[in-house]
Amino acid sequence: MRTIGGIRMKKRVVTVLVPIVLILIVIAAALGSQILEKYSYSKNKADLNAYFNITNVDDVAMVVQDSIVEEKARLREGVCYFTLPTVEKYFTDRFYVNSTEQILLFTTDTDVVRIDIGDGSNVMYVSDAGQELGYQAAFYEGDTLYIAGDYVKKYANFEYLVHDEPLRVQIYTQWGSYTEATVSKKTALRYQGGIKSDILTELSAGDSVEILEKMENWSKVQTTDAFIGYVENKVLKEEHEAERVCSTGFQEIVYNNVKKDGKINLTFHQVFEEVGGDKLAAVLAPTRTVNVVAPTWFRLNGSSGDFTSLANQSYMTKAHELGIEVWALITDVDSLDLYGAEIDFVELLSSSANRRRLIDGLMAQVDSYGLDGINIDFEKVRSDSGTHFVQFIRELSIETRKRGVVLSVDNYVPSEYTAHYNRKEQGIVADYIIIMGYDEHYVGGGAAGSNASIGFVEGGITDTKAVVPAEKIINAVPFYTRVWESGPDGLKASTLTMNAEADWVRRTGVTPTWLDEPCQNYAEYQVNDTLYQCWLEDVESIRVKLQVMQSQGIKGVASWKIGLEVPGVWDVIADYMAQ
């Protein structure tokens, strides 16, 4: 009976233990599975189209340096193309496009290079001489212009390589040192740092990667075929500094600008009729150290490239006798066409034929009169004409450069409203940039104030120097100011010339006071309900401006205009020229 009872007892124990053991096995299996899941490496593949943000079958993803950018390229018949905005953003902003004429231009120091956009773009025309390219250089897809990367490389320093599956292009525009490492064994490049992150691609032992960022356990790296992701530090070895060398063979275009020795002291000579050498000698008699005069000889009179001329040979002869150069000025100020309308700069400057007509006309004047330079004073160019204006300056510079005559361009003090004048490009192709350092407050501006406070002048020089070499900058000072009237009828202003200020002070009985902020003498008085204010331009205000110009290291001074000044101003300008 005991034996039987013992057997029964054992059976009960087994009956109880089996489920417990089974439960423990299940728990252990579950825990093991969780541990395995936690510490095992994910084998999920990333969606590479999503990774490269490819949404169109024609898209070629772009990797610029070590970043995937939003712009996309196109691959057509084995040629990689970039949109015009992409070219301007990453490579060069110096192409000119005219969608009406269907042309793509690039202007060098000696030639205008033309591509006829579309089927004929396999030929490049250098000053109208055709050269076969072997590929289509430019085409439109809808309203989007695409330009072949190999064509862009003629004018910009970069290199690129196209990879497939998916289509992507690695682009380098900068070269230099970087940190490189070797992969020690086969491993996965993952989208993010972590073993659960999706796999971008597989790396083999011996592959080289660029280390972009190193963390505790993972490093962000870039592969030689344009993947950017993460690998574990433990698989990286032989970390060292490497050098990415530029092998493009690209040579920057050198614009051989006309350069004058020493400082320039230019004065504008406004004329409304033809005047000769005797008149020039008379207006120059009170001056000192003037070495350039810019007479307002040429005035646009239409939108087809025509202009009127007041050029005079005896004027030229006298100037040269006095050792003074003549940079004849062409202006749009007060210019009207034959129908009494303002000049349409889009019509004038977007047309290749009109630009050519204007340039040829100016060069005919240069050749006929022996001009030393041309000064461009186009003050009414709107933003819709900016690219055309810049192309005009580029093309004009070729002709002035051939003749060895100066091309100077008048510019406003930089502002967001005048950015389309593109001072940076002017500073590349033109010889001198003249800042019109006045009209800080002007009739119609809505507020009374200085014509040229020192902060305004210095800011104009500093902002221009940000994009134009100092040795190409001339700052123009005003020989005039304004008298402001604030009264019941609103704000009015009248011009007061420097040589009339003393009489104005005497007649009004005011006593000017020097203001440190604008660095000018200031006067005001009131008659009934009208307040009169004037920030004077005199010898002292000009002296301070010249001191700023000296400290900024720019090329020289200009003045608007001769005949409005007091004789003493030439003494302070002479002091500046001697420094």
Side-chain angles (χ1 to χ4, degrees):
M1 293 294 290
R2 289 178 182 169
T3 302
I4 294 173
I7 292 172
R8 288 175 178 171
M9 182 63 69
K10 289 180 180 179
K11 286 183 177 180
R12 290 194 192 100
V13 171
V14 170
T15 302
V16 173
L17 287 176
V18 167
I20 293 173
V21 171
L22 290 174
I23 291 171
L24 291 174
I25 291 172
V26 170
I27 292 172
L31 289 172
S33 176
Q34 290 177 6
I35 292 170
L36 183 63
E37 174 65 22
K38 181 177 180 180
Y39 293 104
S40 64
Y41 288 68
S42 170
K43 297 182 179 179
N44 291 335
K45 302 287 187 180
D47 181 340
L48 295 183
N49 285 330
Y51 169 72
F52 283 110
N53 193 27
I54 296 173
T55 58
N56 188 311
V57 293
D58 296 324
D59 284 347
V60 177
M62 288 177 50
V63 182
V64 180
Q65 300 298 126
D66 56 9
S67 298
I68 301 171
V69 299
E70 61 180 353
E71 292 83 7
K72 300 294 183 290
R74 286 281 189 275
L75 198 64
R76 185 167 169 173
E77 297 182 358
V79 179
C80 188
Y81 293 85
F82 303 101
T83 67
L84 177 62
T86 297
V87 170
E88 292 176 335
K89 181 176 180 179
Y90 294 106
F91 309 134
T92 177
D93 58 0
R94 305 193 61 234
F95 281 105
Y96 170 76
V97 178
N98 187 310
S99 58
T100 301
E101 296 182 350
Q102 291 285 290
I103 56 173
L104 172 70
L105 304 181
F106 192 93
T107 308
T108 70
D109 58 328
T110 57
D111 298 288
V112 177
V113 183
R114 188 185 88 243
I115 291 291
D116 294 326
I117 299 171
D119 293 338
S121 67
N122 60 326
V123 178
M124 174 179 71
Y125 295 90
V126 181
S127 294
D128 296 328
Q131 299 178 15
E132 290 285 343
L133 289 173
Y135 56 87
Q136 191 175 22
F139 65 88
Y140 274 104
E141 189 175 277
D143 293 330
T144 302
L145 177 64
Y146 285 90
I147 308 174
D150 283 354
Y151 186 69
V152 178
K153 285 178 68 175
K154 292 178 178 294
Y155 310 109
N157 194 19
F158 69 100
E159 58 187 11
Y160 68 93
L161 183 63
V162 177
H163 304 277
D164 57 12
E165 297 182 2
L167 282 172
R168 61 200 185 277
V169 55
Q170 173 70 65
I171 299 165
Y172 287 108
T173 61
Q174 299 174 22
W175 295 265
S177 61
Y178 66 95
T179 303
E180 186 178 56
T182 303
V183 177
S184 62
K185 65 178 182 179
K186 182 178 180 180
T187 191
L189 178 75
R190 298 185 181 275
Y191 177 62
Q192 293 179 326
I195 62 176
K196 297 304 180 184
S197 183
D198 290 348
I199 297 171
L200 296 173
T201 188
E202 296 287 347
L203 302 179
S204 300
D207 284 350
S208 295
V209 294
E210 177 182 352
I211 298 178
L212 304 177
E213 181 183 356
K214 196 161 189 177
M215 295 164 287
E216 184 177 356
N217 298 313
W218 292 79
S219 286
K220 183 179 181 181
V221 302
Q222 181 171 4
T223 67
T224 56
D225 58 351
F227 282 100
I228 300 171
Y230 292 81
V231 296
E232 290 180 284
N233 291 338
K234 65 184 181 182
V235 302
L236 297 177
K237 65 177 184 178
E238 299 173 2
E239 185 176 323
H240 63 280
E241 287 297 305
E243 191 78 15
R244 183 172 290 112
V245 179
C246 175
S247 58
T248 63
F250 178 80
Q251 292 185 336
E252 292 283 352
I253 298 170
V254 177
Y255 292 82
N256 294 307
N257 300 116
V258 178
K259 298 178 181 179
K260 298 297 178 180
D261 294 333
K263 289 179 180 175
I264 290 172
N265 179 6
L266 177 152
T267 190
F268 292 102
H269 184 197
Q270 188 177 30
V271 296
F272 300 97
E273 61 184 6
E274 187 174 337
V275 299
D278 292 343
K279 178 67 174 180
L280 174 63
V283 297
L284 286 174
T287 70
R288 292 181 59 193
T289 69
V290 168
N291 50 26
V292 179
V293 63
T296 58
W297 276 354
F298 310 132
R299 186 179 301 273
L300 293 174
N301 69 347
S303 300
S304 299
D306 296 320
F307 58 88
T308 59
S309 173
L310 297 174
N312 180 278
Q313 191 61 60
S314 69
Y315 188 106
M316 286 294 308
T317 301
K318 177 56 69 173
H320 288 170
E321 286 178 0
L322 297 172
I324 294 174
E325 293 193 355
V326 177
W327 299 358
L329 177 151
I330 180 168
T331 187
D332 64 337
V333 176
D334 299 327
S335 292
L336 300 174
D337 64 18
L338 296 177
Y339 304 100
E342 288 193 353
I343 302 301
D344 184 337
F345 273 105
V346 172
E347 180 182 345
L348 171 61
L349 298 180
S350 69
S351 163
S352 295
N354 289 347
R355 290 196 308 274
R356 187 75 260 162
R357 182 181 181 87
L358 178 54
I359 292 169
D360 286 346
L362 289 172
M363 292 305 100
Q365 296 287 316
V366 169
D367 296 339
S368 295
Y369 292 94
L371 300 180
D372 305 292
I374 290 290
N375 175 251
I376 304 300
D377 182 50
F378 290 173
E379 300 184 20
K380 297 182 180 180
V381 177
R382 301 186 306 270
S383 59
D384 61 353
S385 311
T387 57
H388 311 306
F389 169 75
V390 171
Q391 184 59 25
F392 163 68
I393 297 297
R394 291 184 183 119
E395 294 175 8
L396 177 59
S397 77
I398 293 175
E399 300 303 324
T400 57
R401 197 175 294 113
K402 285 179 182 177
R403 291 165 171 81
V405 300
V406 169
L407 172 58
S408 61
V409 187
D410 301 338
N411 280 269
Y412 295 104
V413 166
S415 71
E416 62 178 309
Y417 306 107
T418 61
H420 57 276
Y421 277 84
N422 195 346
R423 294 163 184 80
K424 178 181 177 182
E425 185 69 8
Q426 288 186 41
I428 293 173
V429 301
D431 301 308
Y432 295 108
I433 304 303
I434 300 176
I435 306 169
M436 297 182 289
Y438 35 77
D439 289 342
E440 177 181 2
H441 294 84
Y442 53 91
V443 179
S450 170
N451 186 33
S453 70
I454 197 62
F456 177 78
V457 171
E458 186 166 22
I461 296 172
T462 301
D463 291 345
T464 303
K465 278 176 61 177
V467 293
V468 177
E471 61 270 18
K472 284 191 170 190
I473 298 173
I474 299 168
N475 184 71
V477 297
F479 288 165
Y480 71 96
T481 188
R482 292 185 174 89
V483 178
W484 298 91
E485 303 177 35
S486 302
D489 297 330
L491 183 65
K492 301 177 183 178
S494 57
T495 299
L496 180 63
T497 63
M498 184 184 288
N499 56 20
E501 287 178 352
D503 182 62
W504 179 83
V505 169
R506 180 187 57 77
R507 286 187 294 102
T508 58
V510 297
T511 301
T513 302
W514 181 261
L515 299 181
D516 288 334
E517 184 174 352
C519 288
Q520 289 175 287
N521 281 303
Y522 170 77
E524 69 171 47
Y525 67 96
Q526 187 145 351
V527 177
N528 298 324
D529 294 332
T530 301
L531 174 65
Y532 294 83
Q533 299 171 280
C534 184
W535 288 260
L536 300 174
E537 287 295 351
D538 51 27
V539 171
E540 291 309 311
S541 68
I542 298 298
R543 188 194 308 275
V544 178
K545 292 175 176 59
L546 292 167
Q547 289 170 351
V548 166
M549 293 156 60
Q550 177 67 25
S551 67
Q552 291 280 359
I554 63 175
K555 183 64 176 178
V557 60
S559 51
W560 180 268
K561 60 181 180 173
I562 193 169
L564 303 185
E565 77 281 6
V566 293
V569 77
W570 296 113
D571 295 330
V572 297
I573 292 177
D575 291 342
Y576 163 75
M577 294 292 289
Q579 294 176 21

